Amino acid sequence: MLGSSVSAAVTRRSGNTRRLSLCLNFFLQGLSILVAAILINTDVIPENTPNSSRVLIGIPFLAWQFGAQVASSRALGYNEIPTTVLTSVYNDLASDSKLWTWKNVKRNRRAGAALMLLLGGICGGWLSKLKNGFGIVLWVGGLIKVLLGLAWLGFREAVE
């Protein structure tokens, strides 16, 4: 909830679609994932000892990122794409009265989100089988978020 509330408050105050706001938001999301990756790579969080209570250390960083991610998708106006849970995407797809119509932008976004989450899960599963695999998965995810944050700087400022 902290990630959602902080992210939503910052984007509301600075403007939901302001480049700098989006850049900072995604950059901070990436950094929170990278902190968890660093904790794994430095053995603060043991990767191969699931019964250790130290595995809980990284959860606040990842939880903050997921909350901020949901707040970002809402701020951008894409409420039809739940970014962290597939159950609601499947429900929205199945209950869409325009599911089989040719032009349906919201359906296409939902189906694309489900496909990308599935592909991300498959890639993450493959990477996690490597030595230090979970750390690698977090490094990849964190770097993608940081790059997305920097990419926002390349877009023109929205005219409000």
Side-chain angles (χ1 to χ4, degrees):
M1 288 195 43
L2 185 62
S4 295
S5 61
V6 169
S7 221
V10 168
T11 54
R12 257 194 312 273
R13 286 199 178 120
S14 61
N16 287 350
T17 57
R18 299 281 314 252
R19 270 187 321 173
L20 193 55
S21 172
L22 292 167
C23 176
L24 181 63
N25 195 332
F26 277 78
F27 188 75
L28 290 175
Q29 288 178 47
L31 284 181
S32 67
I33 297 171
L34 293 175
V35 167
I38 289 168
L39 291 172
I40 287 175
N41 288 133
T42 57
D43 287 328
V44 172
I45 300 173
E47 185 169 2
N48 297 320
T49 315
N51 295 331
S52 171
S53 61
R54 290 190 304 159
V55 297
L56 301 175
I57 296 170
I59 290 177
F61 299 102
L62 297 176
W64 187 90
Q65 184 277 323
F66 281 122
Q69 180 174 305
V70 171
S72 297
S73 72
R74 299 299 187 263
L76 288 168
Y78 292 102
N79 295 340
E80 68 270 12
I81 305 176
T83 61
T84 56
V85 180
L86 277 175
T87 306
S88 52
V89 174
Y90 295 149
N91 178 63
D92 291 344
L93 277 170
S95 62
D96 189 349
S97 61
K98 299 176 185 174
L99 180 64
W100 302 109
T101 59
W102 184 252
K103 283 192 171 188
N104 187 342
V105 174
K106 288 186 176 187
R107 178 221 37 223
N108 296 346
R109 288 180 185 148
R110 288 179 183 126
L115 180 63
M116 292 297 114
L117 284 169
L118 175 67
L119 290 174
I122 291 169
C123 291
W126 283 336
L127 286 172
S128 69
K129 291 182 179 195
L130 300 173
K131 185 178 190 281
N132 300 323
F134 192 63
I136 293 170
V137 170
L138 291 176
W139 278 105
V140 170
L143 290 173
I144 288 171
K145 284 283 187 170
V146 167
L147 291 174
L148 283 171
L150 294 174
W152 281 113
L153 293 175
F155 287 93
R156 286 191 200 145
E157 190 71 47
V159 178
E160 296 181 26

